[in-house]
Each structure stands twice: as C-alpha cells, then as structure tokens.
C-alpha cells in the first residue's frame, strides 16, 4: 500500500486542493475505502467480500492520476478535511456503464459524488468544490459535466443508491439539464461556464445539493 506522509503543511481559513494519493486518507470514512464508482458492480461485490477495498481505491486513483490527472477536490477548513467532490472521464469509471442512461457524452466529464461534512455545511464549501472542479477541467479543454441523477424511489435498492449518487432535483436546481430521461437515473448535463458564473445567491442551493449526498451505506457492492 502506498505510504502516506505523516504531516501536511498547516493551512488556515478555507482551501480546496486536488485529490491525490497523499490526501486520499482525508476523505471521510467510509468514503476513503469505497469502490462503488471505481469498479464495475460484479468486481466491486467480489472486492467487498474477498479483497481489500482500500487497496483497490488507491490503485484506481493512482492509475487515474497517471493517465488523466486530478480526479477530485478536497475542501479544508483550518487544516481540517471538510468535504470533497470526485469526477473523471467516463472511460475511467467502470460503474458508469451499468446505468440505464449510459453512456456519458464523449465531450463531458462525469461527476461521481460529492459531500460536505455536516459540521461544515453552510460555509459555501459546496460552491467552492464545484467551481474548483469546473476550473480544473476547463483548463483541460472540457466544457461540460454530466451526472447520473437519482430520483427517489421506494425500494431498498433505491435507498442504498441514494447514498452514492447526487439527487436529480438538486442537480436541476443548479443548472443541470436532462439529456436522457429515466424514472430513476436520468442523465443530466451542466455547461461548466454556468458554474463559474454562479452568483453568491446560488450558494445556498449548491450547499443543499451537496448536503443531500449522505454518508455511504455500507452494503456489499453498494458503497459510494
């Protein structure tokens, strides 16, 4: 397993940094070892039963960093991890192919998941994370972000999946438009220039969006 530094330079105030191998341990538990997006459903279930999810997570992140670069952002408040957001080209996200509204557009990045810890909500971190991701991927020539939204359903599986996927109504509230509809998992799209031009009065909407992505439910093969 890759070694992690024992200390990081002290920060003050609020800061959003790239997700790297050095910082993967700063993801909130159990997200640091979650492989919902990183493996296809069959391999994820097998890894949960027989493997080492933490090692699988770090192996995926290492490969993604080498092939494409940063695939996430972590927000810190006074040196404390406070929230995160992950995204990647769809070709690097095996789980994406399992959705009924796949594939993601060839010109778009896939928003995987995002979360701000409860004690840090209401401080504008959600907007900072989304705008940080937008700036990062636009520098690489990408102009759109897509996501598989989650509509609430009454099944047990739906409740588990809500732990891993951003709710469709909140995606819609911040400007995502449906490009392929579905009763449970619509595929939605955002022009990243819209995210960069959000006014401060959008901050509460984005915060509510991020807050709705709850801590993952620990069930075999269904972790976020």
């Amino acid at each position: 397993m890759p070694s992690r530094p024992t200390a990081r330079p002290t920060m003050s105030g609020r800061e959003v940094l790239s997700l790297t191998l050095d910082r993967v341990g700063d993801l909130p538990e159990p997200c640091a070892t979650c492989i919902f997006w990183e493996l296809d459903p069959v391999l994820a279930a097998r890894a949960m039963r027989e493997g080492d999810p933490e090692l699988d997570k770090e192996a995926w992140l290492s490969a993604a960093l080498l092939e494409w670069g940063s695939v996430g952002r972590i927000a810190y408040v006074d040196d404390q991890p406070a929230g995160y957001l992950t995204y990647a080209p769809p070709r690097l996200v095996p789980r994406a192919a399992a959705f009924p509204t796949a594939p993601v557009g060839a010109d778009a990045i896939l928003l995987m998941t995002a979360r701000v810890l409860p004690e840090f909500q209401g401080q504008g971190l959600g907007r900072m994370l989304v705008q940080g991701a937008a700036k990062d991927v636009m520098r690489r020539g990408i102009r759109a972000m897509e996501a598989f939204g989650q509509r609430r359903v009454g099944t047990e599986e739906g409740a588990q999946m809500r732990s891993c996927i951003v709710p469709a109504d909140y995606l819609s509230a911040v400007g995502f438009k449906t490009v392929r509809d579905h009763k449970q998992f619509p595929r939605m799209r955002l022009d990243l220039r819209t995210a960069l031009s959000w006014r401060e009065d959008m901050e509460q909407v984005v915060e509510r969006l991020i807050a709705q992505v709850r801590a993952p439910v620990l069930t075999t093969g269904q972790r976020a």
Side-chain angles (χ1 to χ4, degrees), residues 161-182:
M161 295 287 278
R162 280 200 298 273
S163 302
C164 311
I165 305 170
V166 179
D169 54 349
Y170 285 91
L171 288 171
S172 178
V174 296
F176 279 78
K177 306 296 184 183
T178 299
V179 293
R180 187 175 178 187
D181 203 9
H182 186 267

Side-chain angles (χ1 to χ4, degrees), residues 16-83:
V16 175
L17 301 177
S18 298
L19 173 61
T20 64
L21 285 173
D22 293 342
R23 300 186 183 112
V24 68
D26 288 344
L27 294 176
E29 289 296 343
C31 304
T33 58
C34 175
I35 51 175
F36 176 86
W37 289 101
E38 290 81 0
L39 297 179
D40 68 50
V42 173
L43 291 178
R46 181 183 305 165
M48 292 294 298
R49 292 193 309 267
E50 307 168 2
D52 185 339
E54 183 176 5
L55 188 59
D56 289 329
K57 180 87 168 189
E58 294 190 352
W60 178 87
L61 179 58
S62 179
L65 288 167
L66 287 172
E67 179 176 340
W68 193 73
S70 176
V71 289
R73 288 289 185 269
I74 300 182
Y76 295 87
V77 175
D78 295 334
D79 203 39
Q80 299 300 310

Side-chain angles (χ1 to χ4, degrees), residues 84-98:
Y84 76 99
L85 179 148
T86 58
Y87 50 89
R91 69 178 186 276
L92 299 181
V93 187
R95 174 72 65 161

Side-chain angles (χ1 to χ4, degrees), residues 29-213:
E29 289 296 343
C31 304
T33 58
C34 175
I35 51 175
F36 176 86
W37 289 101
E38 290 81 0
L39 297 179
D40 68 50
V42 173
L43 291 178
R46 181 183 305 165
M48 292 294 298
R49 292 193 309 267
E50 307 168 2
D52 185 339
E54 183 176 5
L55 188 59
D56 289 329
K57 180 87 168 189
E58 294 190 352
W60 178 87
L61 179 58
S62 179
L65 288 167
L66 287 172
E67 179 176 340
W68 193 73
S70 176
V71 289
R73 288 289 185 269
I74 300 182
Y76 295 87
V77 175
D78 295 334
D79 203 39
Q80 299 300 310
Y84 76 99
L85 179 148
T86 58
Y87 50 89
R91 69 178 186 276
L92 299 181
V93 187
R95 174 72 65 161
F99 283 83
T101 48
V104 172
D107 63 340
I109 199 75
L110 174 64
L111 171 64
M112 296 155 62
T113 193
R115 185 182 172 205
V116 172
L117 298 180
E119 59 268 35
F120 296 104
Q121 290 172 11
Q123 301 182 30
L125 296 179
R127 182 166 62 92
M128 288 177 62
L129 285 164
V130 175
Q131 291 186 330
K135 291 177 182 178
D136 174 45
V137 300
M138 287 184 71
R139 283 195 294 265
R140 293 187 254 183
I142 297 170
R143 295 291 180 267
M145 176 181 289
E146 292 191 7
F148 296 105
Q150 166 74 27
R151 289 191 175 126
R152 294 184 179 274
V153 295
T155 65
E156 179 182 355
E157 179 183 7
Q160 294 168 352
M161 295 287 278
R162 280 200 298 273
S163 302
C164 311
I165 305 170
V166 179
D169 54 349
Y170 285 91
L171 288 171
S172 178
V174 296
F176 279 78
K177 306 296 184 183
T178 299
V179 293
R180 187 175 178 187
D181 203 9
H182 186 267
K183 64 180 181 180
Q184 187 173 358
F185 300 119
R187 178 160 55 87
M188 307 178 75
R189 184 178 176 95
L190 175 70
D191 181 336
L192 291 175
R193 292 171 297 182
T194 300
L196 294 180
S197 63
W198 281 339
R199 302 182 304 275
E200 289 190 3
D201 59 5
M202 286 292 290
E203 183 169 310
Q204 292 184 347
V205 178
V206 182
E207 285 296 297
R208 290 198 299 270
L209 185 160
I210 300 294
Q212 287 294 309
V213 185

